[in-house]
Coordinates of all heavy atoms in Angstrom, one line a residue:
C306 N -10.5 7.1 128.6 CA -9.8 5.9 129.2 C -10.0 4.7 128.3 O -10.9 4.6 127.5 CB -10.5 5.5 130.5 SG -10.6 6.8 131.7
G307 N -9.0 3.8 128.4 CA -9.1 2.5 127.7 C -9.3 2.6 126.2 O -8.6 3.4 125.5
T308 N -10.2 1.8 125.7 CA -10.5 1.8 124.3 C -10.8 3.3 123.8 O -10.4 3.6 122.7 CB -11.6 0.9 124.0 OG1 -11.1 -0.5 124.1 CG2 -12.2 1.0 122.6
S309 N -11.5 4.0 124.6 CA -11.9 5.4 124.2 C -10.7 6.2 124.0 O -10.6 7.1 123.2 CB -12.9 6.0 125.2 OG -14.0 5.2 125.3
I352 N -14.2 11.6 125.6 CA -14.8 10.4 124.9 C -15.1 9.3 125.9 O -14.2 8.9 126.7 CB -13.8 9.9 123.9 CG1 -13.2 11.0 122.9 CG2 -14.5 8.8 122.9 CD1 -12.1 10.5 122.0
S353 N -16.4 8.8 125.8 CA -16.7 7.7 126.7 C -17.9 7.0 126.2 O -19.0 7.6 126.0 CB -17.0 8.4 128.2 OG -17.6 7.3 129.0
Q354 N -17.8 5.7 125.9 CA -18.9 4.9 125.5 C -20.1 5.0 126.5 O -21.2 5.4 126.2 CB -18.5 3.5 125.4 CG -19.5 2.5 124.8 CD -20.6 2.1 125.7 OE1 -21.8 2.2 125.3 NE2 -20.3 1.6 126.9
S355 N -19.8 4.7 127.7 CA -20.8 4.7 128.8 C -21.3 6.0 129.2 O -22.4 6.2 129.7 CB -20.2 3.9 130.1 OG -19.2 4.7 130.6
G356 N -20.4 7.1 129.0 CA -20.8 8.4 129.5 C -20.7 8.5 131.1 O -21.2 9.4 131.6
T358 N -17.8 7.0 133.0 CA -16.5 6.7 133.5 C -16.1 7.8 134.5 O -16.0 8.9 134.1 CB -15.5 6.5 132.4 OG1 -15.9 5.4 131.6 CG2 -14.1 6.2 132.9
V404 N -18.5 -6.8 127.4 CA -17.7 -5.9 128.2 C -16.6 -5.3 127.4 O -16.2 -4.1 127.6 CB -17.2 -6.6 129.5 CG1 -16.1 -5.9 130.1 CG2 -18.4 -6.8 130.4
A405 N -16.0 -6.0 126.4 CA -14.9 -5.5 125.6 C -15.6 -4.6 124.5 O -16.4 -5.1 123.8 CB -14.1 -6.6 125.0
S406 N -15.1 -3.4 124.3 CA -15.7 -2.5 123.4 C -15.3 -2.8 122.0 O -14.1 -3.0 121.6 CB -15.2 -1.1 123.8 OG -16.0 -0.2 123.1
Q413 N -16.8 5.7 117.7 CA -16.0 6.8 118.2 C -15.1 7.4 117.2 O -15.0 8.6 117.0 CB -15.2 6.5 119.5 CG -16.1 6.2 120.7 CD -15.4 5.5 121.8 OE1 -14.3 4.8 121.6 NE2 -15.9 5.5 123.0
L490 N -5.2 -4.6 123.3 CA -6.1 -4.6 124.5 C -7.2 -5.6 124.3 O -7.6 -6.3 125.3 CB -6.6 -3.1 124.6 CG -7.7 -2.9 125.7 CD1 -7.1 -3.2 127.1 CD2 -8.3 -1.5 125.7
K491 N -7.8 -5.7 123.1 CA -8.8 -6.6 122.9 C -8.4 -8.1 123.3 O -9.1 -8.8 123.9 CB -9.4 -6.7 121.5 CG -10.2 -5.5 121.0 CD -11.6 -5.5 121.6 CE -11.6 -4.7 122.9 NZ -11.6 -3.3 122.9
E494 N -7.8 -8.5 127.1 CA -8.9 -8.5 128.0 C -9.9 -9.7 127.9 O -10.5 -10.1 128.8 CB -9.7 -7.2 128.0 CG -10.4 -6.9 126.6 CD -11.0 -5.5 126.7 OE1 -11.4 -5.0 127.7 OE2 -11.1 -4.9 125.6
K609 N -17.9 -3.1 132.7 CA -18.0 -2.2 131.5 C -18.0 -0.7 131.9 O -17.4 0.1 131.1 CB -19.3 -2.5 130.7 CG -19.2 -1.8 129.4 CD -20.0 -2.6 128.3 CE -19.8 -2.0 127.0 NZ -18.4 -2.2 126.4
V611 N -16.9 2.0 134.3 CA -16.0 2.1 135.5 C -16.3 3.4 136.3 O -15.8 4.5 136.0 CB -14.5 2.1 135.0 CG1 -13.6 2.1 136.2 CG2 -14.3 0.8 134.2
Ligands
F6R701 C1 -12.1 -2.0 126.6 C2 -13.0 -1.2 127.3 C3 -12.5 -0.3 128.3 C4 -13.3 1.1 128.1 C5 -12.9 2.1 129.3 C6 -13.6 3.4 129.1 O1 -12.7 -2.9 125.7 O2 -14.2 -1.3 127.1 O3 -11.2 0.0 128.2 O4 -13.0 1.6 126.9 O5 -13.3 1.5 130.5 O6 -15.0 3.3 129.1 P1 -15.9 4.4 128.5 O7 -15.7 4.5 127.1 O8 -17.3 3.9 128.9 O9 -15.6 5.6 129.2

Side-chain angles (χ1 to χ4, degrees):
C306 301
T308 286
S309 301
I352 310 172
S353 173
Q354 185 285 129
S355 62
T358 298
V404 165
S406 192
Q413 289 165 341
L490 178 62
K491 285 292 87 84
E494 61 184 335
K609 189 149 187 77
V611 185

